Amino acid sequence: MSEDRLAAVEARLRSLEDERDIARMMASYGPLVDGGDADGVAALWAPDGVYDIDALFLAGRERIGAMVRSAAHQGWIRQGCAHVVGPPHITVDGDEAVAVCHSLMVVHEEGRYVVRRVTANHWLLRRTDSGSGSGSGWQVVTRTNRILDGRPESPALLAGGVRGEPAGV
């Protein structure tokens, strides 16, 4: 195999590994937050990362972890809840990536499960290591969630992310 061809195969492999690692990291959010693992959830974000959820703006790992530890969130866990993150569309550009997906918050109420929220999710991520493919090399810089209730910025967040654009909300 020629050096150029080998380099092209390595680049394709790295791209696939990046997408897989990002998707795995995103998929870990639901089990971690529903399991009450505040430190695990916070570690998904860069130290100065932001979680922008409609009316709630959390800056930094400490505030993100505090959200998981809050009485409100712990109440959701005791009641029964599931944060379900849909399959992401991921665009990697070097050491940065944009991913978009839908998410659902399903809660247990009066013996049945109810979808409480459906949101558009836009994730801006950054590689934090050399990209060894270990899965630990990507962190959330900003995650922006907007409820899908007919407001125009929610679908725009999804469509822009598919094009690899930063959140413009």
Side-chain angles (χ1 to χ4, degrees):
M1 185 177 290
S2 73
E3 284 186 38
D4 288 344
R5 188 165 178 205
L6 180 59
V9 169
E10 288 174 345
R12 289 176 57 201
L13 177 60
R14 180 168 182 168
S15 177
L16 291 170
E17 288 176 337
D18 285 342
E19 288 184 26
R20 183 215 49 214
D21 293 346
I22 291 167
R24 289 173 102 183
M25 186 269 300
M26 291 171 66
S28 72
Y29 175 81
L32 290 169
V33 78
D34 294 334
D37 186 345
D39 293 335
V41 171
L44 298 175
W45 269 260
D48 59 346
V50 168
Y51 193 5
D52 180 359
I53 315 163
D54 288 313
L56 185 61
F57 187 87
L58 307 170
R61 285 181 177 162
E62 185 175 316
R63 297 228 20 232
I64 293 165
M67 179 266 305
V68 179
R69 290 183 193 94
S70 72
H73 186 80
Q74 291 300 309
W76 290 118
I77 293 172
R78 282 190 304 277
Q79 176 182 332
C81 72
H83 290 76
V84 182
V85 177
H89 180 281
I90 302 167
T91 304
V92 178
D93 184 11
D95 290 337
E96 293 194 349
V98 170
V100 292
C101 63
H102 297 86
S103 68
L104 306 172
M105 181 179 176
V106 181
V107 297
H108 185 251
E109 292 180 352
E110 300 175 10
R112 61 190 182 106
Y113 291 93
V114 178
V115 176
R116 183 160 174 91
R117 285 176 59 97
V118 179
T119 57
N121 293 236
H122 185 288
W123 307 62
L124 177 60
L125 306 118
R126 183 181 314 127
R127 187 190 317 272
T128 60
D129 67 4
S130 62
S132 63
S134 66
S136 62
W138 289 92
Q139 289 184 326
V140 181
V141 174
T142 305
R143 179 178 173 187
T144 305
N145 288 17
R146 292 294 180 266
I147 195 164
L148 286 160
D149 62 357
R151 64 181 87 172
E153 68 260 25
S154 303
L157 195 64
L158 293 169
V162 167
R163 293 188 296 270
E165 298 169 358
V169 178

